[in-house]
Amino acid sequence: MKRLIVLTMLLPLAQTLAAQTAPALPELNADRLHLNFVHGMILLVWAVLNLTVGGYLTWLKRGQVEAFWHMNAAFNLVNFCIAAVMLHQTVNTDPGALGHTETLRTVVNTHGLMMLNIGLDVCYALTGLWMKEYGRRRLNKAALLRGFGQALILQGLFLLCLDVTFTTLYFRTSQPLFVN
């Protein structure tokens, strides 16, 4: 009986708190989805530029420069697919239809994924440094290893800057979820 009385007393407080946070939730989701859209568009433009220029220059150049542009084009085929999926999900999500629990789950998953991406970006750049250095000792594959290494360094550093920037923006946008 005491629990029922306590719950009855707390119900108006819970309704008041829910009413205060409910109008901000669609706005927060709209802001979050806008960030996803901008993030996806930047990645898509980067991928298309690298696919176009890399695909073209792969056929014109030889040696280390050919390997560099070839790896850029290949690497950005994956970026293109990731950006396309990001944009598809973002455009097809209604910010007003997401509840508090679903929003919180999405935000936590996004933060985890972004942290994983940052770790992968560092691995790409370090692998590129290793390939570039190893290419100095492997004379029969030096041009290939150095070109691929330079491309991985470029891609890793670009994606690292992009992911750190958007992780910070995602965190700032979703902060009101964790304050209330």
Side-chain angles (χ1 to χ4, degrees):
M1 184 69 175
K2 288 182 182 179
R3 288 183 185 169
L4 183 59
I5 294 172
V6 170
L7 287 175
T8 306
M9 292 172 61
L10 290 177
L11 186 60
L13 177 62
Q15 289 173 335
T16 304
L17 287 174
Q20 288 176 354
T21 58
L25 196 57
E27 292 172 14
L28 184 135
N29 282 323
D31 291 345
R32 191 177 52 77
L33 289 170
H34 178 71
L35 276 178
N36 279 352
F37 183 79
V38 172
H39 189 178
M41 285 303 293
I42 290 171
L43 188 59
L44 184 70
V45 168
W46 176 255
V48 168
L49 284 173
N50 276 281
L51 281 167
T52 306
V53 174
Y56 178 71
L57 291 177
T58 295
W59 300 109
L60 295 179
K61 303 294 181 180
R62 292 288 168 247
Q64 184 175 335
V65 176
E66 175 191 14
F68 173 79
W69 288 110
H70 183 89
M71 178 56 88
N72 272 329
F75 198 94
N76 279 282
L77 189 59
V78 175
N79 284 343
F80 181 85
C81 293
I82 292 169
V85 169
M86 268 178 84
L87 291 170
H88 176 73
Q89 288 178 342
T90 300
V91 168
N92 291 321
T93 302
D94 178 19
L98 299 173
H100 189 74
T101 305
E102 191 172 355
T103 300
L104 192 58
R105 185 180 323 115
T106 303
V107 165
V108 169
N109 288 343
T110 300
H111 285 289
L113 185 61
M114 292 304 293
M115 290 310 203
L116 175 67
N117 283 347
I118 289 170
L120 288 172
D121 299 339
V122 171
C123 289
Y124 298 146
L126 291 176
T127 301
L129 284 171
W130 177 82
M131 288 178 85
K132 191 175 169 188
E133 184 59 34
Y134 190 65
R136 292 181 185 190
R137 288 182 245 138
R138 292 283 306 236
L139 297 179
N140 60 337
K141 302 221 182 213
L144 181 73
L145 288 169
R146 282 189 268 168
F148 280 8
Q150 289 172 336
L152 283 174
I153 292 167
L154 173 69
Q155 296 301 322
L157 292 178
F158 171 79
L159 292 173
L160 180 64
C161 292
L162 183 71
D163 290 341
V164 166
T165 300
F166 276 93
T167 299
T168 304
L169 293 172
Y170 286 135
F171 181 75
R172 286 184 185 164
T173 301
S174 62
Q175 208 167 11
L177 279 174
F178 302 104
V179 174
N180 289 335

